[in-house]
Amino acid sequence: MSQIGELPARVRRSRSVDPRLVRLFGWLVLGALLRLMTVTTEGTSTDHLLVIDEAFKSPALIAWLVAAVAVWAVTELWRARRIGAAVTVHTAGVRKQWSTIADRDLSRKLSLLAVVAAAIVIPQFLSEFYQRVLVDQVAVFVLLAVGLNVVVGWAGLLDLGYIAFFAIGAYTCAYFTGSLPVTPPFVLNPFVILPIAVIVCLAAGLLLGAPTLRLRGDYLAIVTLGFHEIVVLFLVNKNNWTGGNQGVSKTVPHFSINLFGIHYQWTLASLPYWYLFIGMLAIVVFLFARLEHSKVGRSWTAIREDEVAAAANGVPTVRYKLMAFAIGASTSGLAGVLYASRLGYINPASFPIVLSISVLSYVIFGGMGAIVGVIVGASLLTFLPAVLQEQNLVRQEDIPMWVGAVLVVMMLFRPQGLIPSRRRRRELRLASEGIADADAMSEAPEGRQR
Amino acid sequence: MTSRPAADGPVPTPRHAAQAAPLLAVRELILRFGGLTSLDHVDLTVDRGVIQAVIGPNGAGKTSLFNCLTGVYTPQEGTIEFTSDGHTTPLVTGSGRRRRSRKPHAVNHVGVARTFQNIRLFAALSAFDNVKIAAETRYRTGPIGAMLRLPKARANDKSTDERTEELLGFVGLWDAADEQASSLSYGVQRRLEIARALATDPQLLLLDEPAAGTNPTEKRELEQLIRRINSERGVTVLLIEHDMRLVMAVAQRITVLNFGKVIAEGRPEEVQRDPAVVEAYLGSAEEPESGSAPEGTSGGTSGGTEEVHRDE
């Protein structure tokens, strides 16, 4: 089959240039283009072409072109290796599967330990700027992404209103700490609010999900989008309750412990908050990892793979989708409480719809359905803008463009994400072979066989 | 006088029959898609413990019937009643706008499992997980139990593992437990789908063309498997099948559908002699005289059976 496929390519090759040279040319053009885009000087009213002048007359151009050649060489080597490997992979794959389970388990535990140790130690040596990025960006969004992964990655539901629950969690925190214009019946410590916010968001998730989860794919996405608008507009317009656009009327207090003789007060310092966040994250990840390999996780997979067959075999599909939705929502609420208390100030503008899209892109970038992948993906994509900003590598206003470019390149060359789950990888392969659907988002028409 | 009770002997039978109501009773079922009537006043009775077949030409409405039974379609008129442990459950309720089918998963929970005409396994999962997912639906482990790994959840997990192993062994797939479902051969996938359906512990198993696309050896194994499901596990089997040799070999009763109507019903040898059936399959009307006297033309009927087989 491969011979038939290669034949026309070979015929074409004899008449035109070597495709490797074409690819080299492509990389060189890309390098020159990148040089042009990274120039920091701007054109003036008298000399519009100053940018181009600056770009191509400086030695930096050489550096970019050399980098382009290097990338080309690496990709060519990779390509050659992959063609060779494709032949042997079919025979080797089977044997490898079961031989080293014990080894893998041990190495997994060791690497987990190493990651935890790194997460505890490394931030202490970072500058104040990076510590703040770790807490305000990385930690918050990793927690959000891990929660959204349950909805999108495991249950296969497209939720674009995810940040609405984040807002609900944050405002729940503001309410019970007495920071809103309305006075609560009792003022609580943020720690006590955590479970309350989880329950409130669980209820909100069920409320939104119950009537809408019968919808499929795109329709659900639109409904969740609308839900986000409703929540934000409520926060804006219900002035006397929420403070409207001005946000909270008093600062949301920080976390504090006053128990059994232990007194600790979190402050503006980033590091203590970082430990609080990773503590929460560890608990969530631990619970979710168990969930994935349980009856619930398997039922989600079944629904994602073939909803009709799952239902015919006794899986109550709507109930399981609702469960995923509610679990995701409550994780978002948990993150909301931490976020509100950490920043002290929130207003409706803290929860724009674009955050939902960002979190979704972190999940897809990291690898839908794989907790580790999602954590790595969210960390990288939230850390990258900060690095670009701090190191002054590109112009400030160009940062979103660079992050977007990373996403585009990633989806072109590695659609399964950075570290995809094994299941997800198999699903994508089956989809490319035309056997099954990769996404529950694009479901096959329901049981209309005759 | 002594002969009177004997003569009246049959009188108690209706009461006795009412006590042991048929496992599945379909009455006057009508299913329409727009102007097309897919099922037209279909009656079907499946008694406990039998192997029964539904046959008919393509487009006769066989799979539509299955879809009505399992809650995929809602028939416009008629009743479907499923009786187990002396308790009768209507699978369709209400009328007019409020007419509802019991949801597919709820149909499964009362004891009706099915397989699909075009195999619908969870392709990216292992054979083991395919069966396990179905077996787990019998337990009430929730997300909290799963997250905290409560003792009950662990015990349930262990017993589903055992049950899954037992079922894979039963259908002869023990070696393939860790294989990805999509990598299995067609015949094996069919058996895996049957194992998955059995995992929900059904009383009635609906098989939609289980022999389609299998080779003769696999057909013989399938024939044995269906018999064993019926005899060893006590599961009542209702199957749609085009392979007449298989149907005649396993089925105790046969219902014949054509254009959405039941045109014949009875024991295999009765059905294959039935002129209406022969006509439906051959598409050519026999002479009315020979059709009205089927017993007299025994040579013709066996020829007719052969034709029925070859036609499909």
Side-chain angles (χ1 to χ4, degrees):
Chain A
M1 214 161 91
S2 59
Q3 282 175 332
I4 300 166
E6 270 173 27
L7 203 59
R10 215 168 273 161
V11 171
R12 230 181 299 131
R13 195 177 299 175
S14 64
R15 272 193 283 134
S16 66
V17 215
D18 192 328
R20 279 173 292 186
L21 290 179
V22 175
R23 289 197 285 267
L24 174 63
F25 181 70
W27 283 112
L28 285 173
V29 170
L30 185 66
L33 219 78
L34 286 174
R35 170 66 198 129
L36 191 63
M37 280 156 68
T38 49
V39 170
T40 40
T41 45
E42 290 177 28
T44 62
S45 53
T46 49
D47 190 358
H48 295 291
L49 298 180
L50 186 66
V51 181
I52 296 174
D53 244 29
E54 188 74 23
F56 293 126
K57 281 184 185 158
S58 68
L61 176 66
I62 313 266
W64 276 104
L65 292 183
V66 168
V69 173
V71 170
W72 169 75
V74 170
T75 52
E76 287 307 319
L77 279 175
W78 174 259
R79 202 179 279 262
R81 210 195 59 168
R82 212 164 53 169
I83 289 166
V87 183
T88 50
V89 89
H90 276 280
T91 51
V94 185
R95 263 183 288 120
K96 225 167 52 182
Q97 256 180 356
W98 285 104
S99 60
T100 55
I101 282 230
D103 283 5
R104 214 198 293 152
D105 215 35
L106 182 71
S107 68
R108 193 178 291 170
K109 272 181 186 146
L110 283 177
S111 53
L112 187 69
L113 209 68
V115 169
V116 171
I120 291 172
V121 176
I122 290 180
Q124 302 191 336
F125 301 105
L126 292 176
S127 68
E128 174 58 30
F129 172 80
Y130 280 120
Q131 286 183 355
R132 210 166 55 236
V133 167
L134 274 183
V135 179
D136 296 350
Q137 297 288 316
V138 178
V140 172
F141 282 103
V142 165
L143 196 53
L144 282 172
V146 167
L148 187 62
N149 178 48
V150 175
V151 187
V152 177
W154 290 347
L157 304 166
L158 189 48
D159 181 1
L160 293 180
Y162 186 63
I163 287 300
F165 300 108
F166 186 51
I168 292 174
Y171 270 87
T172 305
C173 178
Y175 174 68
F176 281 110
T177 51
S179 313
L180 292 183
V182 275
T183 40
F186 32 78
V187 174
L188 297 169
N189 181 304
F191 270 116
V192 187
I193 298 171
L194 283 176
I196 297 177
V198 165
I199 290 165
V200 167
C201 287
L202 204 73
L206 292 177
L207 209 69
L208 171 66
T212 56
L213 282 181
R214 276 154 235 274
L215 301 175
R216 284 155 181 278
D218 322 343
Y219 306 105
L220 181 68
I222 300 300
V223 169
T224 52
L225 211 60
F227 177 69
H228 179 272
E229 276 315 301
I230 292 171
V231 169
V232 169
L233 284 178
F234 178 85
L235 296 178
V236 170
N237 291 330
K238 207 69 190 158
N239 258 321
N240 46 349
W241 287 6
T242 63
N245 274 325
Q246 274 79 48
V248 293
S249 50
K250 268 189 292 179
T251 322
V252 183
H254 289 293
F255 279 83
S256 59
I257 292 181
N258 256 322
L259 269 181
F260 314 119
I262 306 168
H263 299 285
Y264 188 82
Q265 173 79 45
W266 271 262
T267 57
L268 276 176
S270 301
L271 217 46
Y273 261 106
W274 167 251
Y275 293 129
L276 182 64
F277 267 103
I278 57 171
M280 289 291 161
L281 188 66
I283 295 171
V284 168
V285 167
F286 176 75
L287 293 179
F288 284 5
R290 281 187 160 182
L291 203 58
E292 184 186 7
H293 301 288
S294 74
K295 173 194 173 188
V296 180
R298 276 187 291 271
S299 300
W300 284 332
T301 315
I303 291 169
R304 228 175 48 224
E305 294 230 343
D306 191 332
E307 199 172 335
V308 175
N313 285 288
V315 178
T317 50
V318 173
R319 190 192 305 168
Y320 273 97
K321 286 193 207 171
L322 204 54
M323 203 185 286
F325 207 67
I327 289 173
S330 53
T331 315
S332 190
L334 183 81
V337 175
L338 291 165
Y339 181 78
S341 171
R342 155 74 182 159
L343 289 192
Y345 173 77
I346 48 167
N347 69 353
S350 318
F351 310 101
I353 195 80
V354 72
L355 281 190
S356 288
I357 314 281
S358 302
V359 178
L360 183 64
S361 69
Y362 302 157
V363 171
I364 295 170
F365 180 83
M368 264 200 268
I371 296 180
V372 180
V374 167
I375 292 174
V376 173
S379 318
L380 283 182
L381 279 187
T382 45
F383 211 69
L384 175 70
V387 173
L388 290 179
Q389 187 191 337
E390 176 75 352
Q391 305 296 321
N392 245 332
L393 285 176
V394 294
R395 288 201 332 225
Q396 293 291 313
E397 56 270 36
D398 285 354
I399 290 176
M401 181 190 78
W402 289 103
V403 176
V406 170
L407 278 177
V408 169
V409 170
M410 183 72 184
M411 285 303 106
L412 281 176
F413 293 103
R414 207 174 156 80
Q416 69 270 41
L418 270 183
I419 309 173
S421 66
R422 251 182 307 163
R423 226 182 252 161
R424 176 82 190 154
R425 224 169 343 197
R426 282 193 298 241
E427 282 168 22
L428 271 177
R429 194 170 59 228
L430 288 176
S432 70
E433 286 166 5
I435 298 172
D437 244 336
D439 299 286
M441 294 174 199
S442 57
E443 279 156 301
E446 183 181 355
R448 297 256 162 199
Q449 0 83 336
R450 180 90 45 87
Chain B
M1 283 294 279
T2 43
S3 67
R4 282 285 296 274
D8 286 355
V11 178
T13 357
R15 205 194 305 156
H16 189 73
Q19 200 176 24
L23 188 64
L24 181 75
V26 177
R27 298 279 169 263
E28 296 285 307
L29 204 66
I30 300 178
L31 175 71
R32 290 186 217 98
F33 293 113
L36 178 80
T37 304
S38 179
L39 295 173
D40 191 0
H41 293 93
V42 168
D43 283 324
L44 177 72
T45 305
V46 180
D47 287 317
R48 206 173 299 276
V50 301
I51 301 177
Q52 188 160 338
V54 177
I55 62 171
N58 287 326
K62 305 182 296 292
T63 299
S64 292
L65 176 63
F66 269 29
N67 283 340
C68 286
L69 296 180
T70 53
V72 179
Y73 297 154
T74 308
Q76 280 83 3
E77 282 169 51
T79 59
I80 305 172
E81 282 178 346
F82 182 77
T83 307
S84 77
D85 305 328
H87 183 73
T88 301
T89 317
L91 299 186
V92 203
T93 53
S95 61
R97 283 176 165 278
R98 320 204 74 204
R99 195 165 170 80
R100 297 272 184 284
S101 271
R102 206 178 164 83
K103 292 268 178 303
H105 71 88
V107 172
N108 182 279
H109 275 260
V110 298
V112 183
R114 75 173 288 184
T115 65
F116 293 89
Q117 186 175 352
N118 44 350
I119 304 173
R120 302 189 81 143
L121 289 167
F122 307 127
L125 298 183
S126 67
F128 191 87
D129 280 349
N130 264 277
V131 178
K132 190 173 177 182
I133 284 170
E136 275 175 326
T137 60
R138 298 303 99 171
Y139 296 100
R140 297 184 56 86
T141 301
I144 306 219
M147 282 198 273
L148 302 179
R149 221 169 266 179
L150 299 176
K152 186 112 180 274
R154 268 204 307 242
N156 288 347
D157 199 51
K158 195 155 164 263
S159 60
T160 42
D161 276 353
E162 283 161 9
R163 189 167 162 68
T164 305
E165 282 168 21
E166 189 261 320
L167 274 163
L168 285 173
F170 180 78
V171 298
L173 280 179
W174 180 228
D175 298 336
D178 296 319
E179 302 274 338
Q180 189 182 329
S182 62
S183 70
L184 300 170
S185 77
Y186 206 73
V188 175
Q189 288 193 11
R190 288 260 178 225
R191 274 191 286 157
L192 177 58
E193 211 187 10
I194 291 174
R196 185 179 67 178
L198 286 175
T200 61
D201 208 6
Q203 300 191 27
L204 175 63
L205 178 63
L206 307 175
L207 300 173
D208 198 345
E209 297 197 28
T214 55
N215 64 34
T217 323
E218 288 170 337
K219 280 201 178 85
R220 238 169 289 128
E221 286 169 1
L222 183 73
E223 186 185 319
Q224 281 178 352
L225 180 62
I226 293 174
R227 285 223 182 82
R228 281 173 58 223
I229 289 169
N230 186 246
S231 60
E232 290 176 26
R233 306 189 85 93
V235 175
T236 307
V237 178
L238 180 63
L239 78 155
I240 293 174
E241 188 48 67
H242 280 307
D243 186 297
M244 286 306 145
R245 207 199 54 74
L246 178 72
V247 170
M248 295 302 162
V250 299
Q252 290 146 13
R253 287 195 82 77
I254 295 176
T255 303
V256 190
L257 280 181
N258 195 20
F259 295 114
K261 289 196 174 85
V262 176
I263 56 168
E265 211 266 314
R267 282 179 290 133
E269 56 273 21
E270 293 169 356
V271 164
Q272 73 196 89
R273 270 199 304 260
D274 195 304
V277 177
V278 176
E279 190 192 320
Y281 271 88
L282 291 179
S284 62
E286 285 187 15
E287 292 301 312
E289 288 86 350
S290 70
S292 62
E295 266 91 4
T297 55
S298 60
T301 43
S302 71
T305 319
E306 274 307 297
E307 291 302 319
V308 166
H309 180 45
R310 207 176 301 158
D311 185 51
E312 287 305 308

